[in-house]
mmCIF file of all heavy atoms in Angstrom:
data_model
loop_
_atom_site.group_PDB
_atom_site.id
_atom_site.type_symbol
_atom_site.label_atom_id
_atom_site.label_comp_id
_atom_site.label_asym_id
_atom_site.label_seq_id
_atom_site.Cartn_x
_atom_site.Cartn_y
_atom_site.Cartn_z
ATOM 1 N N GLU A 72 -42.573 26.240 43.801
ATOM 2 C CA GLU A 72 -43.155 25.100 43.079
ATOM 3 C C GLU A 72 -42.851 25.123 41.581
ATOM 4 O O GLU A 72 -43.064 24.130 40.886
ATOM 5 C CB GLU A 72 -44.678 25.002 43.292
ATOM 6 C CG GLU A 72 -45.496 26.165 42.783
ATOM 7 C CD GLU A 72 -45.699 27.238 43.840
ATOM 8 O OE1 GLU A 72 -44.924 27.257 44.829
ATOM 9 O OE2 GLU A 72 -46.620 28.060 43.686
ATOM 10 N N ASP A 82 -19.799 19.768 34.845
ATOM 11 C CA ASP A 82 -19.148 21.079 34.920
ATOM 12 C C ASP A 82 -17.722 20.923 34.423
ATOM 13 O O ASP A 82 -16.975 20.090 34.933
ATOM 14 C CB ASP A 82 -19.123 21.593 36.367
ATOM 15 C CG ASP A 82 -20.486 21.970 36.897
ATOM 16 O OD1 ASP A 82 -21.438 22.087 36.093
ATOM 17 O OD2 ASP A 82 -20.608 22.147 38.132
ATOM 18 N N SER A 96 -12.932 16.353 16.772
ATOM 19 C CA SER A 96 -12.813 16.816 15.387
ATOM 20 C C SER A 96 -11.748 16.016 14.646
ATOM 21 O O SER A 96 -11.885 15.733 13.456
ATOM 22 C CB SER A 96 -12.493 18.306 15.334
ATOM 23 O OG SER A 96 -11.135 18.561 15.658
ATOM 24 N N ARG A 123 -16.076 34.311 6.881
ATOM 25 C CA ARG A 123 -15.813 35.658 7.409
ATOM 26 C C ARG A 123 -17.052 36.522 7.233
ATOM 27 O O ARG A 123 -17.474 37.225 8.139
ATOM 28 C CB ARG A 123 -14.631 36.295 6.677
ATOM 29 C CG ARG A 123 -14.361 37.733 7.091
ATOM 30 C CD ARG A 123 -13.432 38.422 6.084
ATOM 31 N NE ARG A 123 -12.948 39.720 6.569
ATOM 32 C CZ ARG A 123 -13.603 40.864 6.441
ATOM 33 N NH1 ARG A 123 -14.781 40.899 5.854
ATOM 34 N NH2 ARG A 123 -13.090 41.985 6.904
ATOM 35 N N LYS A 433 -15.304 0.876 1.978
ATOM 36 C CA LYS A 433 -14.573 0.897 3.260
ATOM 37 C C LYS A 433 -13.055 0.833 3.037
ATOM 38 O O LYS A 433 -12.271 1.400 3.794
ATOM 39 C CB LYS A 433 -15.018 -0.255 4.172
ATOM 40 C CG LYS A 433 -16.501 -0.250 4.547
ATOM 41 C CD LYS A 433 -16.923 0.971 5.332
ATOM 42 C CE LYS A 433 -18.382 0.863 5.760
ATOM 43 N NZ LYS A 433 -18.886 2.146 6.298
ATOM 44 N N ASN A 502 -20.937 -2.126 13.633
ATOM 45 C CA ASN A 502 -22.076 -3.033 13.555
ATOM 46 C C ASN A 502 -23.386 -2.249 13.596
ATOM 47 O O ASN A 502 -23.890 -1.909 14.667
ATOM 48 C CB ASN A 502 -22.006 -4.030 14.728
ATOM 49 C CG ASN A 502 -23.020 -5.135 14.593
ATOM 50 O OD1 ASN A 502 -24.016 -5.008 13.870
ATOM 51 N ND2 ASN A 502 -22.782 -6.242 15.283
ATOM 52 N N GLU B 58 -18.925 44.431 4.089
ATOM 53 C CA GLU B 58 -18.862 45.331 5.239
ATOM 54 C C GLU B 58 -19.847 46.481 5.081
ATOM 55 O O GLU B 58 -20.481 46.893 6.045
ATOM 56 C CB GLU B 58 -17.447 45.852 5.444
ATOM 57 C CG GLU B 58 -16.642 44.949 6.362
ATOM 58 C CD GLU B 58 -15.151 45.086 6.153
ATOM 59 O OE1 GLU B 58 -14.713 46.216 5.867
ATOM 60 O OE2 GLU B 58 -14.433 44.062 6.274
ATOM 61 N N ARG B 93 -13.388 24.558 13.246
ATOM 62 C CA ARG B 93 -12.572 23.404 12.855
ATOM 63 C C ARG B 93 -13.259 22.738 11.663
ATOM 64 O O ARG B 93 -14.380 22.234 11.756
ATOM 65 C CB ARG B 93 -12.404 22.432 14.025
ATOM 66 C CG ARG B 93 -11.505 23.015 15.125
ATOM 67 C CD ARG B 93 -11.153 21.974 16.167
ATOM 68 N NE ARG B 93 -10.206 20.996 15.670
ATOM 69 C CZ ARG B 93 -8.876 21.136 15.663
ATOM 70 N NH1 ARG B 93 -8.330 22.257 16.125
ATOM 71 N NH2 ARG B 93 -8.095 20.184 15.204
ATOM 72 N N GLN B 104 -20.653 7.366 6.504
ATOM 73 C CA GLN B 104 -19.497 6.479 6.682
ATOM 74 C C GLN B 104 -18.995 6.696 8.105
ATOM 75 O O GLN B 104 -18.087 7.493 8.347
ATOM 76 C CB GLN B 104 -18.400 6.806 5.651
ATOM 77 C CG GLN B 104 -18.787 6.549 4.217
ATOM 78 C CD GLN B 104 -19.005 5.069 3.901
ATOM 79 O OE1 GLN B 104 -18.616 4.184 4.669
ATOM 80 N NE2 GLN B 104 -19.634 4.789 2.768
ATOM 81 N N LYS B 250 -39.134 23.646 36.308
ATOM 82 C CA LYS B 250 -39.419 22.202 36.213
ATOM 83 C C LYS B 250 -39.539 21.850 34.730
ATOM 84 O O LYS B 250 -40.069 22.609 33.947
ATOM 85 C CB LYS B 250 -40.730 21.867 36.935
ATOM 86 C CG LYS B 250 -40.623 21.894 38.442
ATOM 87 C CD LYS B 250 -41.689 21.007 39.103
ATOM 88 C CE LYS B 250 -41.444 20.861 40.594
ATOM 89 N NZ LYS B 250 -42.380 21.647 41.418
ATOM 90 N N THR B 299 -22.769 1.547 19.306
ATOM 91 C CA THR B 299 -22.583 0.180 18.836
ATOM 92 C C THR B 299 -21.133 -0.217 19.064
ATOM 93 O O THR B 299 -20.398 0.498 19.758
ATOM 94 C CB THR B 299 -22.951 0.051 17.345
ATOM 95 O OG1 THR B 299 -22.930 -1.333 16.993
ATOM 96 C CG2 THR B 299 -21.981 0.821 16.462
ATOM 97 N N THR B 349 -23.941 23.757 36.697
ATOM 98 C CA THR B 349 -23.884 24.851 37.663
ATOM 99 C C THR B 349 -23.983 26.201 36.949
ATOM 100 O O THR B 349 -24.765 27.074 37.345
ATOM 101 C CB THR B 349 -22.567 24.778 38.477
ATOM 102 O OG1 THR B 349 -22.436 23.451 38.987
ATOM 103 C CG2 THR B 349 -22.554 25.786 39.605
#
Side-chain angles (χ1 to χ4, degrees):
Chain A
E72 63 269 19
D82 291 347
S96 76
R123 176 195 191 275
K433 300 298 184 191
N502 189 340
Chain B
E58 270 157 35
R93 290 189 73 85
Q104 295 294 345
K250 286 205 171 106
T299 188
T349 309

